[in-house]
Amino acid sequence: MRLLARMLAVLGLGGVLALLPAAAAFAHDYLVTSDPAVDSTVRAAPRAVSLTFDAVVLDYGRGSTALQVTGPGGATRHFETGCAVVDGRTVTARVALGGPGTYTETWRVVSADGHPVSNSIRFTYAPPAGQRAAAGSPHGPDCGVAAAAPGAVAGPPGGLVVALAIVGGLVVLGVLAAVVLVVLRATRLPAGTESADAGLQSAPESGPAQPGPARETSP
């Protein structure tokens, strides 16, 4: 019984671990930190802006990842000077900011589950007097058609990623169940074996018949 309980515990733990990838596949990536920080004020002109997410960002090439910097204030001029670069969980873009004011970072990435997610954050630029301001551009660098607009991107659909994760978890669970059954069968004796062995041990040893005493015969 103890062995069976242990096997069931192992099987249950294995099932939970096997289904963890499927559960993770349902979660979209979310922003963890940024540089500059959200709603922060910077005085030194940054050469790049970066966003770090909770999970690895999928990169399917040109246009699948976007990071645009516009401002200042309500202006829509672009101050990113390069396309977004994906490095694991971090997305970076080079920038050359203009005058003082609030800048908006608009981003779009592909989550680990295959779905594109987008949002925006803001920071304030307050350079010292006399700081050279970049002119910016109306549209930014050519990084793909409607790069920052949420929508479908090239790559496997999110539903396929989730399905593969579930199938993989079920396969692992099936293997664990098979291992438990094999171990249980190997440790269980066939029915009647113990009683048969006990009967053999208790039976008296048999040997050749001993001759009885000789009978006298009358003449």
Side-chain angles (χ1 to χ4, degrees):
M1 292 298 294
R2 291 183 178 179
L3 179 60
L4 178 59
R6 291 177 182 177
M7 289 299 178
L8 291 176
V10 171
L11 182 60
L13 178 60
V16 172
L17 296 177
L19 293 177
L20 282 179
F26 285 101
H28 293 324
D29 292 2
Y30 60 87
L31 185 65
V32 174
T33 185
S34 63
D35 185 17
V38 178
D39 296 329
S40 65
T41 298
V42 296
R43 293 184 58 82
R47 296 183 178 180
V49 295
S50 64
L51 306 171
T52 301
F53 297 85
D54 69 307
V56 173
V57 175
L58 301 183
D59 184 13
Y60 295 128
R62 181 179 175 85
S64 67
T65 305
L67 177 51
Q68 300 175 346
V69 180
T70 56
T76 58
R77 292 191 69 81
H78 289 251
F79 292 91
E80 72 276 10
T81 59
C83 298
V85 177
V86 178
D87 183 11
R89 299 186 300 120
T90 302
V91 179
T92 305
R94 299 190 308 273
V95 296
L97 299 183
T102 301
Y103 286 79
T104 301
E105 296 180 46
T106 304
W107 50 266
R108 200 257 326 253
V109 301
V110 182
S111 292
D113 65 355
H115 288 99
V117 293
S118 61
N119 209 331
S120 63
I121 61 174
R122 293 180 176 83
F123 68 90
T124 300
Y125 177 46
Q131 179 73 32
R132 180 180 177 182
S137 63
H139 306 291
D142 182 13
C143 300
V145 178
V153 296
L160 178 60
V161 174
V162 173
L164 291 176
I166 294 176
V167 170
L170 292 177
V171 169
V172 174
L173 189 60
V175 171
L176 289 174
V179 171
V180 170
L181 291 176
V182 170
V183 173
L184 288 177
R185 289 181 179 178
T187 55
R188 182 182 300 171
L189 291 174
T193 301
E194 294 181 356
S195 59
D197 291 343
L200 290 175
Q201 293 177 0
S202 60
E205 296 183 357
S206 59
Q210 300 295 328
R215 294 182 179 179
E216 293 182 359
T217 57
S218 57

